[in-house]
């Protein structure tokens, strides 16, 4: 869906005409404390906090009629919680407010901001909190939604922050829209067309491999996973600043448009929601698009590994052996461990261009969700790339947790007939880590020979946070969240400045 128009203003908040004016309150031992509302008309609301039963806790809201002297039709009081008023706290509170005001056409935010990052956070939170999925077709009438968001601020650089927030919010929304699309409408071929449409006239080169070209290129992982479906697989490369001598970051995204488990069929309940298994590819697509819109200096290549994992007479069987691009062979012991097969092809293809670093992102394992829940993504790989990811997480409020890749797990993937097996059936321990160990086998080296250093790499397993199965919170709706887009953008920005 289109996002709201994100704007800034230096006019006094009380003079702004809008459907709702948002002010914040913080929790403290002395009781709720009004934030940022300094003019007389708004300051009177502070006297009502006790009567409203508010504490200032996060996700707490109360909408009241606007007091005399306030031009807005109503005032929404939103809690920001305890502790420092960080950019992420502001983003979260703005998202909570936007969810509560989802049918208000114009919302004005009077939250205290002291930097462009905080202005951007409020605008991002409001845009993402107000998200709702709009089907491409169907008779369902759409309710009114937020059209304009204005942040009252005197911060220098606020207008630029509004432009950046517009780009990032639009990118996250693209992921949410793609992931939420029914799988009968989004399959590898239609994903390619949606990607082409989203790229438009941006300076991004798009290369697409169809089945014949995948066969010629030796992409056995993508072909193997997709061979059971009537909808053939695709590989897409998105190249931004392809000819520039700038630092080069490669992003690889898992794009399983529907995962039935193949012949290792999932149970009925486990199959529901498997349209979201292409979130990694959607995330990479949105990140490259946003980087081009923002004019980031880093050279970016995005790899979208697209296939539909279905059971049929042509599907992969357990014990089949396939050859990944580059020559390594894989014995497929579990056809429901398919994501790592398409990602192996993508990692090899990305490595062939010798980027300065590779980051892959995938809804790879249910084990990640078991280990880390639905809000944290696991990050594994080389220390230097993990450090970049964690620094970006701190700045964007994305939640990641570093996990090891123990060498003693590699023997579990030993095969008598192939270079490596894709799973260890019956083993329930360290499933997330075992998948990471598998992927590491396909990350290339800088130079030739066994002693050549590997290309720096990190793997993001977003199986938990990519889909929020519980109630909405902050700027995260129920369903697709669009996590990691803002983080990957920040990593790309840092690459361009060698931070």
């Amino acid at each position: 869906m289109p996002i709201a128009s994100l704007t800034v203003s230096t006019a006094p908040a009380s003079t702004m005409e809008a459907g709702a004016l948002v002010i914040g309150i913080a929790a403290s031992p002395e009781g709720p404390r009004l934030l940022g509302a300094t003019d007389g008309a708004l300051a009177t609301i502070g006297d009502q906090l006790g009567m409203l039963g508010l504490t200032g806790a996060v996700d707490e809201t109360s909408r009241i009629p606007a007091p005399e002297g306030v031009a807005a039709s109503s005032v929404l009081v939103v809690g920001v919680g305890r502790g420092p008023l960080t950019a992420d706290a502001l983003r979260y509170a703005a998202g909570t407010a936007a969810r509560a005001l989802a049918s208000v056409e114009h919302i004005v935010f009077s939250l205290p901001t002291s930097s462009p990052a905080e202005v951007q956070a409020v605008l991002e939170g409001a845009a993402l909190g107000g998200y709702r999925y709009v089907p491409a077709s169907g008779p369902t009438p759409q309710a009114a939604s937020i059209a304009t968001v204005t942040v009252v601020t005197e911060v220098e650089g606020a207008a630029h922050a509004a432009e950046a927030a517009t780009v990032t919010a639009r990118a996250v929304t693209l992921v949410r829209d793609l992931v939420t699309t029914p799988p009968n409408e989004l399959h590898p071929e239609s994903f390619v067309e949606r990607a082409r449409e989203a790229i438009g006239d941006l300076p991004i080169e798009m290369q697409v491999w169809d089945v014949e070209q995948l066969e010629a290129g030796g992409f056995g992982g993508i072909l193997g996973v997709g061979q059971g479906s009537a909808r053939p697989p695709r590989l897409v490369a998105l190249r931004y600043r392809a000819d520039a001598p700038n630092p080069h970051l490669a992003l690889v995204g898992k794009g399983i448009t529907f995962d039935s488990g193949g012949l290792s069929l999932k149970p009925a309940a486990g199959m529901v929601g498997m349209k979201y298994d292409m979130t990694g590819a959607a995330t990479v697509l949105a990140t490259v698009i946003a980087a081009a819109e923002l004019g980031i200096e880093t050279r970016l290549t995005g790899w979208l590994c697209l296939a539909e994992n279905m059971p049929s007479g042509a599907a992969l069987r357990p014990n089949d052996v396939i050859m990944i691009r580059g020559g390594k062979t894989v014995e497929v012991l579990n056809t429901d461990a398919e994501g790592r097969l398409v990602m192996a092809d993508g990692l090899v293809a990305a490595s062939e261009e010798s980027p300065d670093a590779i980051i892959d992102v995938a809804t790879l394992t249910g084990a990640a969700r078991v280990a880390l829940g639905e809000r944290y993504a696991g990050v594994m790989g080389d220390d230097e790339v993990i450090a970049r990811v964690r620094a970006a997480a701190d700045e964007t409020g994305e939640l990641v947790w570093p996990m090891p890749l123990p060498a003693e797990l590699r023997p579990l993937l030993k095969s008598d007939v192939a270079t490596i097996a894709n799973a260890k059936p019956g083993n329930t321990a360290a499933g997330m880590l075992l998948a990471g160990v598998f992927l590491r086998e396909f990350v290339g080296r800088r130079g030739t020979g066994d002693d050549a250093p590997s290309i720096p790499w990190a793997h993001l397993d977003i199986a938990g946070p990519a889909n929020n199965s519980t109630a909405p919170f902050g700027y995260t709706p129920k369903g697709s969240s669009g996590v990691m887009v803002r983080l990957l953008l920040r990593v790309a920005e840092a690459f361009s400045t060698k931070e």
Side-chain angles (χ1 to χ4, degrees):
M1 64 163 286
I3 67 167
S5 173
L6 306 182
T7 64
V8 293
S9 175
T10 58
S14 60
T15 67
M16 300 284 293
E17 293 187 0
L21 172 65
V22 177
I23 62 175
I25 56 171
S28 71
E30 295 76 28
R33 175 171 52 88
L34 200 62
L35 297 173
T38 55
D39 61 58
L42 287 173
T44 60
I45 296 176
D47 300 329
Q48 305 177 45
L49 298 180
M51 293 184 293
L52 294 172
L54 298 175
T55 66
V58 295
D59 277 325
E60 182 180 67
T61 63
S62 181
R63 190 174 180 184
I64 60 175
E68 186 176 351
V70 174
S73 300
S74 62
V75 172
L76 183 88
V77 183
V78 61
V80 301
R82 291 178 180 268
L85 190 60
T86 62
D88 195 48
L90 290 168
R91 185 184 295 107
Y92 192 104
T96 298
R99 286 193 292 105
L101 299 168
S103 60
V104 174
E105 185 174 346
H106 184 194
I107 304 174
V108 172
F109 282 84
S110 180
L111 295 174
T113 53
S114 58
S115 68
E118 291 180 352
V119 174
Q120 181 174 339
V122 174
L123 290 167
E124 284 176 350
L128 298 178
Y131 172 84
R132 64 180 67 183
Y133 175 68
V134 178
S137 60
T140 305
Q142 298 303 314
S145 59
I146 301 167
T148 305
V149 172
T150 302
V151 171
V152 175
T153 183
E154 295 184 356
V155 167
E156 187 175 349
H160 179 72
E163 294 172 2
T166 298
V167 172
T168 56
R170 192 161 53 221
V172 174
T173 293
L174 173 60
V175 175
R176 292 177 178 179
D177 283 349
L178 286 170
V179 175
T180 310
T181 301
N184 59 316
E185 297 178 16
L186 190 73
H187 46 84
E189 189 173 9
S190 63
F191 191 117
V192 171
E193 295 312 309
R194 291 282 292 270
R196 201 184 307 277
E197 179 183 347
I199 290 168
D201 296 329
L202 289 170
I204 298 172
E205 300 173 16
M206 184 174 180
Q207 181 180 1
V208 181
W209 285 259
D210 61 18
V211 169
E212 185 175 322
Q213 292 162 326
L214 288 168
E215 289 173 346
F219 292 98
I222 295 172
L223 285 166
V225 173
Q227 71 188 43
S229 173
R231 293 167 167 147
R234 294 288 187 270
L235 173 66
V236 179
L238 307 173
R239 309 183 195 277
Y240 169 64
R241 297 191 182 274
D243 298 324
N246 309 35
H248 182 193
L249 175 63
L251 304 175
V252 182
K254 175 185 172 183
I256 303 299
T257 56
F258 187 79
D259 181 18
S260 69
L263 291 182
S264 304
L265 196 67
K266 293 180 183 289
M271 212 180 296
V272 175
M274 283 298 102
K275 65 179 183 179
Y276 97 120
D277 216 13
M278 36 60 66
T279 303
T283 301
V284 170
L285 169 65
T287 300
V288 176
I289 288 175
E293 290 180 328
L294 291 171
I296 289 174
E297 293 297 322
T298 300
R299 176 185 168 191
L300 281 179
T301 306
W303 297 88
L304 317 182
C305 308
L306 306 174
E308 186 177 60
N309 188 26
M310 297 292 285
S312 75
L316 273 180
R317 293 161 294 239
N319 288 129
D320 278 356
V321 174
I322 60 175
M323 182 177 290
I324 303 299
R325 181 175 173 88
K328 289 185 178 180
T329 54
V330 178
E331 183 180 11
V332 179
L333 299 183
N334 182 354
T335 67
D336 195 23
E338 84 299 330
R340 64 199 70 182
L341 301 178
V342 302
M343 296 292 280
D345 274 338
L347 287 169
V348 172
S351 298
E352 289 171 351
E353 299 187 350
S354 298
D356 295 290
I358 301 172
I359 300 176
D360 76 69
V361 56
T363 50
L364 202 62
T365 66
R369 186 170 174 269
V370 172
L372 297 175
E374 289 194 340
R375 298 199 183 185
Y376 278 83
V379 58
M380 292 147 268
D382 298 311
D383 290 345
E384 63 180 278
V385 189
I386 290 175
R388 288 182 178 274
V389 168
R390 295 186 71 183
D394 289 341
E395 294 185 39
T396 59
E398 302 271 32
L399 300 176
V400 301
W401 197 259
M403 302 295 290
L405 291 177
E408 66 268 19
L409 294 181
R410 176 59 180 86
L412 294 177
L413 297 177
K414 185 179 183 300
S415 168
D416 294 332
V417 294
T419 308
I420 192 171
N422 78 324
K424 178 68 172 177
N427 178 73
T428 59
M432 170 173 50
L433 311 186
L434 195 63
V437 167
F438 177 91
L439 292 180
R440 184 169 56 185
E441 292 280 317
F442 300 93
V443 178
R445 297 181 179 274
R446 288 175 164 170
T448 58
D450 292 341
D451 57 346
S454 295
I455 297 170
W457 158 77
H459 161 56
L460 283 165
D461 193 330
I462 61 170
N467 183 63
N468 174 32
S469 64
T470 59
F473 58 92
Y475 50 89
T476 302
K478 184 176 181 181
S480 176
S481 62
V483 295
M484 299 300 128
V485 172
R486 295 183 299 105
L487 180 148
L488 290 174
L489 273 174
R490 181 60 196 130
V491 171
E493 289 173 339
F495 246 77
S496 68
T497 57
K498 298 184 180 180
E499 294 178 19

